Amino acid sequence: MSSRRILVPVDFTPCSDEALKTAATLARGSDSGLLIVHIVEPPILMEHPECFNGAPSELMKEFQQMLDKIAASVEGLPREQRLLEGPAADAILDLAETEQVDWIVLGTHGRCGTGRLGMGRVAEAVVRRAQCPVLVVKAAASQAAMLAPASGNY
């Protein structure tokens, strides 16, 4: 990969598709590569999320295949992908720091109410705590209307 990288968390929704398109455009304009990541989170209602032992291996294989397909859709750019488990915002921030990315580009569903200015919980946490610039991409109104309820994964 090139020395410059853009981290793109994906959750397999139109929101993250738009973020990936935006990140690819930025990467082409800045001679950067992409680091595409999907994070499997512990169930939100789990009483003790620290006891989460991970998703079943069949589900992880399915997520890996989906992630590979998304990464393959970005042609002509250096790219790599990662499949991680844990709280999404923490995993994104840890990866950004460890890999010393130049940017984070992520989509948001904006379903957490007006108190968060239209950003979801993950996007807000990343924007507040990231050590690098963050670009938040919101899905167009027509796309947002088609979204299914949040899956708990990013």
Side-chain angles (χ1 to χ4, degrees), residues 12 29 31 37-38 40 45 52 65 75-76 105 112 115 118 137 154:
F12 312 122
D31 193 30
V37 63
H38 177 74
V40 179
L45 300 177
F52 178 60
Q65 290 171 346
E75 297 178 6
V105 177
C112 289
V137 178
Y154 204 88

Side-chain angles (χ1 to χ4, degrees), residues 20-108:
L20 183 60
K21 288 178 193 173
T22 301
T25 299
L26 287 171
R28 285 186 181 95
S30 63
D31 193 30
S32 297
L34 299 177
L35 176 54
I36 305 166
V37 63
H38 177 74
I39 299 115
V40 179
E41 291 193 279
I44 292 173
L45 300 177
M46 189 173 199
E47 188 172 331
H48 298 284
E50 65 277 2
C51 296
F52 178 60
N53 290 327
S57 62
E58 303 84 37
L59 186 58
M60 293 301 283
K61 287 178 188 174
E62 185 177 331
F63 284 142
Q64 187 63 56
Q65 290 171 346
M66 294 167 68
L67 187 57
D68 292 344
K69 184 177 178 182
I70 286 175
S73 74
V74 183
E75 297 178 6
L77 286 173
R79 64 196 177 277
E80 61 182 276
Q81 64 268 11
R82 306 270 177 86
L83 181 61
L84 305 174
E85 293 183 82
D90 293 341
I92 292 165
L93 292 163
D94 289 347
L95 185 61
E97 185 176 328
T98 300
E99 295 295 325
Q100 299 179 339
V101 300
D102 298 291
W103 280 85
I104 300 172
V105 177
L106 74 158
T108 184

